[in-house]
Structures are given as C-alpha cells and as structure tokens.
Amino acid sequence: MHDAPLMRLPVGSVGHKTFGWWGMTTVVMTEGSLFAYLLFIYYYFVVQYGRVWIPETPSLRLAAPNTVILLLSSVFVWWGENSAARGRTRRQSLGLAIGLLLGLIFLVVQAFEWRDKPFTMSSTSYGSSYFVTTGFHMAHVAVGALMLACVLLWSLLGYFDRERHAALSIAALYWHFVDLVWLTIFFTFYLTPYMG
Amino acid sequence: MRKLTPLLCLAAASAPGEAFADAGHIAQWSPHPYALLILTLGALLYGKGVHTIILRGAFGRVIGARRGACFALGLALSYAATASPASEWSERLFSTHMAQHLVLMLVCAPLFVSARASQAVLLALAPALNARGLSALLRLSRFVAGPVAVWLCFTGLFLLWHMPSLYGWALRSESGHALEHGSFFIGAYGFWSLVLAPVRGRAPGHGARLLFVGTAALMSGLPGALIALASRPLYQIDSAQAARLGLTPLEDQELAGLVMWIPGGLAYLAAVLGLLAGWIGEAERRALRRAPGAKLSLFLCLLFPMALAGCDDVLPEGSGAEAATIYDTGGNPQRGAEAIAAIGCGACHTIPGVNGANGLVGPPLNRIGRRLYIAGLLRNTPENLEAWLQDPQTIVPGNVMPNMGISKEQSRDIAAYLYTLR
C-alpha cells in the first residue's frame, strides 16, 4: 500500500438544492397555508363584528421594536449565509450567533407582550385568535432558533465550507419564512386597527 | 339571494347596461378623460411599434396578427370597462365596480401582455430615447421585475385598495379613482408578464409560476370570501342606485364579494391549468429528446396504468416459468461461451466459466442473469443486452466498452450464455 495521507471525504452536497431544501419548501407551503387561515379567522371576525370585536387597540410599544429585532435577525442570518458562500467562516458563525440571539430576544419580549394583555385565550374570541396565532408563530420561532443553534454548532465545528453548507441555507430559508409570517401577523393584529 | 343570481351572471359578464336600462335609467357611453387619453396614447404607441416591426420585415415573428388581435381585444374591453354605461354604474354599485376591476386586472392585462404591448411601446419610443436612456429603462424594468417584488406589488395593491378607508377615498376623489385603476393595471401587467413569459433561460420555471399564481389566487379569494360573508355593509357607498334596482347595500356587497371570489378565482384557475399543461408538455418534449422512441411507451403508460404496474423494478424470484421466458434468447449458450473466448471479452471482464476471463477493466459479469440494469441505464432484457453487445458506443457514446463487431447471431448466443450466470 502507498503511504499517501488519508483523504477526508467531504460531507454534504454541493449547493443548496438538496432533498432537505425541497422538504423545507414544502414545509414553508403547508405552514404558510396554516397562517393564511389563522389570519383569515381574524379578518372574518373583524368583518362580522366590526371594531367593537377588538377589546383594546393594541399598543405598539413592545411590538414595533420587536418587529425590528426579528427583521434584523433575518438580516444577520442572511449575512452569515452570504459569508459562508464566500468562505468567511468567522463571519458566518458570527452572523448565525447574532441572528439566534436576536431571535431569543424576540421570544422574551413576546412573553412580556403576552403577560401585559388584559384578556386571556378563553375570555373572548379575539383573545383566542390573538393567542393561537401569535402562539403558533412563537412555536415556529422556537423551532427556528433550535435550527439556528444546530447550524451554529456545526458551523463552529467546521462542518461547512464554501460549497457545502446546505443545512445552513435550509435553516436560513425557514428563518426568513418565520420573519415574513411575523410581518403579516404584525400588520394584521397591530396595524389594521389603526387603519380603520 | 335568489333574485341576485341573474344579476350576478350579468355583473360577471361586465355588460350590465341592458339589465339596468329597464331600471328607468338611459345609460350613456361616457369616456373618462384620463382613461381615454391613456388608451389612445397606448394604441398610438403600439401602432407605431408594430409599424416599425413591419418596416423591418419582422411582422409575424415578434408580433403577428394573433398578438395584434389580442391588443385590439384588450383595448376594446378596457374601453368598455372604463367608458361604457357599466363604468358609470360602477361608481354607484359596488358589485359592478368589482367586475370592472376584475376585467381590467384578469382579462385586459393578460391580453395586453399576450400582445407584447411593452415591447411594441419600447420599440416605438426607441428613436426618441438615446442609448443611455434606453439601457436605463431596461435596467429599471429588470430591477422591478423580480418575482417576489411583482407578487408583493400585485397582491399588496389588491388588498390595500379593498380596505374600506382607501376604497372610500378612491370613490370620493377623481384622482384617487384614476390612481386606483392605474395601479391595479400596472400591478396586473407585471404579474401576467411573469406568468405568460416563455419558460426558458433564467425565467422562473413552471413550478415557481404555479406557486406564484396559486398564492395570488389565495390572496384574492380570501378577501372575496370575507366581503361575501360579511353581515353588515363595510363600505360607504351611495345606496340609492342599489335601492332602485331592488338591492339592499348588503346584497350589493355580497354580490361584489362573490364576483371577486368565483369569476376572479376562475381566471386564476385557468392560468393554473395552462401552466400545468405547459409543464406536462415540457416534460414530454424533454423525455422525447432523450429517447426518440419513447413516445409510444409514454402513450401506453398514460393510457394503461397497468403498464406502470409492470414497470416496477422487481424481477421474479426463483427460476419459475416467468424467469425462463424472460431470459430465453433463443441462442446457444455453448456457442456463446466459445464466442466470448474468441472475441476476448475476458481481457476486460471477469466471467465465470470462461478460461482466463479475469479482466479488471469492466464490471465482473458474475450473476449477470440476476442484475436489474446493464450499462447503468438499460433494463436487463435479452433485447437490451443484445443491442448493448452489438453496439455499446451508440447507446453510451464514449464509454470504455468498444464496438467489437459482434454479429446479431453471436450476440444472441453470448446473451444466452450470460443468462446462465445466475
């Protein structure tokens, strides 16, 4: 046998269009439909009962900054993925870490937002709609944060390189989707009451 | 709701002038100045563009008679939607207003796109612009024409204008109304440009377009459902005209919601079906390019689902009657073994039962009678194996197995021997 050094076979596929990527796009489709119908519930009740259905005009004090936080996290995750494609592993991990941190901050602020509500999930149909919709979204954020944590760990362990970082792209796709969903929820629950 | 049904049909057809004539109102054609100006300008520019094409002798290639007819039809419908008595009624009746919007967005806009209106207008404007202006215009159009941006613009405008406050403003203000119709049309033009563009190069594929149209359909169907299901009037609309027709404002609104929901949904459904047909056609063309003889088998597979059941990759176990018929080549295995030795297959292949056949270039042929595929792409059948033996370079050009000049008889004998290796 030769004395050549053992070659390390690369792990993962080149590019992002893997089975996981297509799987994630179908998840995005099903979850997107779920949220479309959750928001339809809100609009249905508003149309049926009018403004009186909304117990209090929701305050933007926490929700607006929280929206900015979530959007920023998306920007950092995008930056991390972009850095991965350029082979800048430090920035890649940093982007993921900041994105994850901002996502966790979002969850904490959202918990305060929940605590401040004068109604409960079972007090009115508005309460049910609000807590079920935002609750589903928080669950999605939590899952997304878990994904980011895994990807961050793998990134720190050096599992990704310039070509092979499909897992990172898949997690980023999910994260951007969750942010987009929040924008629609924010618009629906927090902005439409001001638009009359 | 019963008395609404005939009205619904008329509203959907967007030609309700006759229906309203007996309501004691003699309807007049009254073109709106803005609309008339824009339609005339558009027609002139399109005509100039087509004229340029004719001068260059390219009529029929970029834009032909069919596309010209699309433009004429789109123009006529746009005029009817904005200048006919229906449009005057639409300022007082919510449901006809909705039908007017849908005709503009879901019929006129795709007709203009099919007519290649933007290309013709650009061609007409080209002499008036310098090269820099033209390239800036093209860059701008590429910048705003991304699928996500177009989708957000189209559905966003649609949803925003149906919020009661904005809708009321558009009805009260002349320029607001023009802005509403203009933005609806521009958003729809961008939307249908993406959907109807030829599928090639970097343009989105059929699947992406299906998602594009399907989600937009959802975003316009749900508000329609909301409006139709609402139990109180949502919009501040003069109810006198509706009352003259025997409609309460709520009934007028239910009708509008239904128009938005059902005929609107049908337009999207038509687009979805067209895209699906295009997708299937593309898949078929691709399959035929790869294997020119595949058309008959494709047809059979589509016609008889049973044929598909026979396509699964499981060979019969054991050496029963079925297995015997599959591998009966009609050749002589003894002569086959002699041919293998004479041709020298053993230089490249390891072949059990042939003296000195221990080559390591090609795959070993032990148990080849049980293999599912040969050459990595052909089902292991006598016909395929014989064809492969005779002419491997035609089946997989450039592969390592050379054409050995094996005759038809020889290939039958060799296959007969190889199928004894189980």
Side-chain angles (χ1 to χ4, degrees):
Chain A
M1 290 302 285
H2 303 287
D3 257 358
L6 282 174
M7 266 189 55
R8 267 188 62 193
L9 280 177
V11 178
S13 44
V14 174
H16 62 262
K17 290 196 171 163
T18 61
F19 284 136
W21 171 269
W22 296 113
M24 186 53 78
T25 54
T26 53
V27 167
V28 164
M29 278 188 244
T30 55
E31 302 309 286
S33 316
L34 167 73
F35 282 105
Y37 285 98
L38 283 175
L39 293 179
F40 182 78
I41 291 170
Y42 174 91
Y43 286 115
Y44 178 79
F45 277 122
V46 167
V47 160
Q48 292 295 317
Y49 301 124
R51 276 297 302 276
V52 289
W53 180 64
I54 303 171
E56 53 147 21
T57 309
S59 152
L60 296 175
R61 194 175 57 86
L62 286 176
N66 218 14
T67 303
V68 175
I69 286 173
L70 201 58
L71 280 181
L72 273 180
S73 86
S74 230
V75 171
F76 276 105
V77 168
W78 172 81
W79 180 62
E81 194 197 346
N82 221 18
S83 306
R86 293 175 186 183
R88 298 186 172 167
T89 46
R90 276 247 187 95
R91 291 180 178 195
Q92 161 198 328
S93 301
L94 188 66
L96 290 173
I98 298 175
L100 175 62
L101 187 69
L102 290 173
L104 294 177
I105 292 174
F106 174 86
L107 283 179
V108 173
V109 175
Q110 193 66 347
F112 281 110
E113 176 84 5
W114 271 24
R115 206 195 49 188
D116 291 348
K117 290 287 170 194
F119 47 81
T120 67
M121 185 156 155
S122 49
S123 59
T124 63
S125 55
Y126 177 86
S128 306
S129 171
Y130 176 82
F131 282 114
V132 168
T133 310
T134 55
F136 260 113
H137 181 258
M138 278 167 83
H140 281 75
V141 174
V143 170
L146 200 64
M147 281 186 201
L148 285 185
C150 289
V151 173
L152 175 61
L153 182 69
W154 295 339
S155 173
L156 291 173
L157 290 173
Y159 285 6
F160 300 133
D161 60 25
R162 196 184 292 247
E163 270 106 29
R164 295 169 201 275
H165 53 267
L168 205 169
S169 302
I170 294 166
L173 170 68
Y174 182 77
W175 192 252
H176 298 320
F177 163 70
V178 167
D179 283 9
L180 187 70
V181 167
W182 173 254
L183 284 186
T184 62
I185 292 175
F186 180 72
F187 176 79
T188 302
F189 278 90
Y190 290 89
L191 295 187
T192 52
Y194 291 96
M195 298 166 108
Chain B
M1 231 16 221
R2 195 149 35 108
K3 63 184 166 184
L4 292 186
T5 316
L7 266 178
L8 172 67
C9 302
L10 286 165
S14 171
E18 297 87 342
F20 299 140
D22 58 322
H25 179 96
I26 305 300
Q28 297 289 321
W29 283 75
S30 55
H32 194 283
Y34 283 144
L36 196 64
L37 183 72
I38 289 170
L39 288 179
T40 314
L41 202 66
L44 285 176
L45 284 174
Y46 188 80
K48 183 154 184 283
V50 171
H51 185 236
T52 313
I53 291 171
I54 293 172
L55 284 184
R56 292 183 190 172
F59 189 74
R61 266 186 291 149
V62 188
I63 292 173
R66 207 171 57 84
R67 294 187 190 279
C70 282
F71 187 84
L73 189 61
L75 202 65
L77 281 174
S78 306
Y79 184 72
T82 52
S84 75
S87 83
E88 193 167 328
W89 278 93
S90 76
E91 309 210 345
R92 304 192 184 91
L93 213 57
F94 187 31
S95 45
T96 47
H97 200 188
M98 188 70 85
Q100 182 193 23
H101 288 169
L102 289 180
V103 168
L104 276 181
M105 277 191 287
L106 303 180
V107 183
C108 296
L111 277 174
F112 284 131
V113 170
S114 307
R116 296 198 164 157
S118 51
Q119 287 95 323
V121 168
L122 207 60
L123 211 56
L125 291 176
L129 295 164
N130 55 15
R132 260 178 67 200
L134 202 62
S135 74
L137 210 61
L138 284 173
R139 260 206 313 279
L140 179 74
S141 72
R142 262 199 292 278
F143 175 72
V144 297
V148 178
V150 169
W151 190 92
L152 286 177
C153 178
F154 177 68
T155 54
L157 282 172
F158 188 78
L159 294 182
L160 274 184
W161 280 116
H162 284 101
M163 298 194 68
S165 48
L166 269 178
Y167 188 87
W169 175 68
L171 274 190
R172 283 192 303 276
S173 144
E174 188 89 324
S175 50
H177 205 178
L179 188 68
E180 184 194 27
H181 285 181
S183 61
F184 271 155
F185 181 78
I186 290 170
Y189 192 87
F191 181 83
W192 293 109
S193 294
L194 266 173
V195 175
L196 299 175
V199 181
R200 61 172 175 236
R202 298 184 64 188
H206 286 103
R209 289 177 201 212
L210 278 173
L211 201 61
F212 191 70
V213 177
T215 46
L218 189 72
M219 296 310 281
S220 78
L222 290 184
L226 280 178
I227 293 173
L229 294 173
S231 53
R232 62 198 172 81
L234 301 170
Y235 297 89
Q236 304 286 317
I237 294 165
D238 177 20
S239 57
Q241 290 296 336
R244 214 174 294 169
L245 287 165
L247 288 174
T248 66
L250 187 60
E251 284 171 334
D252 184 26
Q253 177 174 295
E254 284 170 349
L255 201 55
L258 281 176
V259 168
M260 184 167 165
W261 193 0
I262 309 297
L266 287 178
Y268 291 107
L269 187 64
V272 164
L273 289 176
L275 284 172
L276 279 174
W279 205 356
I280 291 170
E282 188 202 61
E284 186 178 328
R285 276 194 299 283
R286 235 189 246 172
L288 289 178
R289 261 206 305 281
R290 259 181 225 153
K295 187 147 196 172
L296 182 67
S297 53
L298 197 71
F299 172 72
L300 289 175
C301 284
L302 287 176
L303 204 58
F304 308 113
M306 292 302 287
L308 285 171
C311 283
D312 63 340
D313 283 349
V314 182
L315 285 183
E317 275 296 311
S319 52
E322 269 178 305
T325 53
I326 288 175
Y327 295 119
D328 185 12
T329 68
N332 181 333
Q334 185 58 40
R335 278 211 307 269
E338 287 161 9
I340 288 172
I343 293 165
C345 308
C348 292
H349 294 282
T350 300
I351 309 170
V354 179
N355 248 345
N358 48 15
L360 295 173
V361 180
L365 302 184
N366 57 319
R367 308 192 75 190
I368 185 165
R370 283 191 180 273
R371 286 175 196 274
L372 295 182
Y373 285 87
I374 48 175
L377 81 166
L378 294 172
R379 278 300 300 267
N380 187 0
T381 65
E383 295 79 23
N384 284 341
L385 182 56
E386 286 164 31
W388 171 252
L389 288 168
Q390 289 169 43
D391 194 2
Q393 286 302 319
T394 302
I395 295 170
V396 183
N399 90 91
V400 189
M401 180 148 155
N403 281 0
M404 298 300 290
I406 298 174
S407 73
K408 206 174 160 68
E409 315 299 309
Q410 273 179 321
S411 73
R412 193 176 297 165
D413 294 340
I414 292 172
Y417 175 75
L418 291 179
Y419 282 137
T420 65
L421 305 174
R422 292 173 62 77

